[in-house]
Amino acid sequence: KALVGNAESGIALATALALGVSVLCLNFGYSIVFPHLYYIPIIIMCACFPRMGIWFTAAVALVYVALVFGVTKDMDFFVQALFRALFFLIIGAVMTYLTRKRTAAEKALSFERKNLAAIVDEQTDCIMRELEQSKRLEKAYRAATEYYDRLINQANAAIVIWNNGFYITRTNAVFERIAGKPKSELLGRKVSAIMPLDEAALQSPDKPVILPVKKPSGILSQVLWTFTEIYAPEQTEPFAYLAIGQELS
């Protein structure tokens, strides 16, 4: 509102100044330079109030022509005033057009900003929901992994897992005790180097087997082993093998 009030005051002041200087100059016989003062209120009006700009410009042009003819009574000045009034109208029309284009562009930009803000908010909410879901999945995965670890580590039977390359990937404390080696020496080793069973038998087990295991004390112990193939979802080939051994007394 303050800006509109300032614009209205500026238009009124500039128009009054242009009219006053026009009367003064025309009375002294000058017809050039002072008409440029009319561009000031025309430009301000068209820039701030484009709907009324062309009508204001037409009124200013009419007043200017009437003022020139009324003061000078000179046809030459009158013709010059008509051409000058035409320039007023052209300037007013151009300024009105540019102002409307600018206003339309500002509205379009504001609309796009609102849309962009809405999209950003929506994507942010989506990301937050995905993060929450990821956190829940991570928590569930961690709980399942911990349960899996406890299940293997606290089992009373020896458990060993190896991959398709027959390299050991997981052991538990009972298997480490039977093998007489720590986990660090077992992981990554060929399972055939620990269990006296050829790879063909390990890859296609069909029944439990009893294998002798030599303990660190030198005593041979008999261990009953059962083998299980581990498949990924919708896979026809196993990606790992699990062996469970029970030491026989």
Side-chain angles (χ1 to χ4, degrees):
K1 292 182 178 180
L3 183 60
V4 171
N6 291 336
E8 292 176 347
S9 300
I11 292 170
L13 181 61
T15 303
L17 178 62
L19 291 173
V21 173
S22 297
V23 172
L24 184 62
C25 290
L26 289 172
N27 284 324
F28 282 97
Y30 296 104
S31 62
I32 58 174
V33 180
F34 74 86
H36 294 292
L37 293 174
Y38 289 94
Y39 290 121
I40 298 175
I42 289 173
I43 291 174
I44 296 175
M45 187 68 176
C46 293
C48 296
F49 309 100
R51 292 185 178 180
M52 299 297 297
I54 193 66
W55 300 109
F56 176 81
T57 303
V60 169
L62 183 61
V63 170
Y64 169 72
V65 172
L67 185 62
V68 171
F69 185 74
V71 173
T72 64
K73 302 295 191 296
D74 189 315
M75 288 302 298
D76 291 336
F77 282 177
F78 178 71
V79 172
Q80 293 177 10
L82 288 177
F83 280 107
R84 182 67 65 181
L86 179 61
F87 278 110
F88 289 167
L89 292 173
I90 293 174
I91 294 299
V94 171
M95 282 299 303
T96 300
Y97 173 77
L98 293 178
T99 301
R100 287 180 175 176
K101 294 291 288 184
R102 184 201 65 190
T103 303
E106 289 176 349
K107 288 182 179 179
L109 180 61
S110 177
F111 179 75
E112 291 299 329
R113 284 178 176 173
K114 290 180 180 179
N115 280 348
L116 180 61
I119 292 173
V120 170
D121 291 341
E122 182 180 352
Q123 292 298 319
T124 301
D125 292 340
C126 181
I127 291 172
M128 292 300 295
R129 289 194 298 270
E130 289 182 354
L131 286 176
E132 290 296 328
Q133 184 178 4
S134 297
K135 289 179 180 179
R136 289 194 295 269
L137 291 175
E138 181 183 359
K139 185 177 180 180
Y141 173 78
R142 188 182 300 112
T145 301
E146 291 175 355
Y147 175 78
Y148 167 76
D149 289 341
R150 288 196 301 270
L151 183 65
I152 291 180
N153 291 329
Q154 296 177 9
N156 292 325
I159 297 177
V160 57
I161 300 174
W162 62 89
N163 58 23
N164 280 330
F166 301 100
Y167 291 99
I168 296 175
T169 58
R170 186 66 187 267
T171 63
N172 71 345
V174 177
F175 180 82
E176 294 159 15
R177 177 178 58 78
I178 292 176
K181 297 180 182 297
K183 184 187 296 285
S184 59
E185 294 184 14
L186 292 172
L187 297 180
R189 294 189 62 180
K190 282 277 190 177
V191 67
S192 56
I194 306 300
M195 301 171 64
L197 190 66
D198 61 84
E199 293 184 358
L202 292 175
Q203 192 171 10
S204 302
D206 57 355
K207 61 181 180 179
V209 295
I210 298 176
L211 299 176
V213 176
K214 188 175 182 179
K215 295 184 176 181
S217 60
I219 300 174
L220 286 176
S221 176
Q222 300 296 319
V223 180
L224 175 66
W225 293 97
T226 57
F227 304 97
T228 302
E229 296 174 334
I230 303 175
Y231 293 85
E234 300 182 359
Q235 296 294 321
T236 58
E237 295 294 331
F239 70 92
Y241 300 86
L242 180 145
I244 300 176
Q246 187 66 50
E247 191 172 8
L248 301 178
S249 55

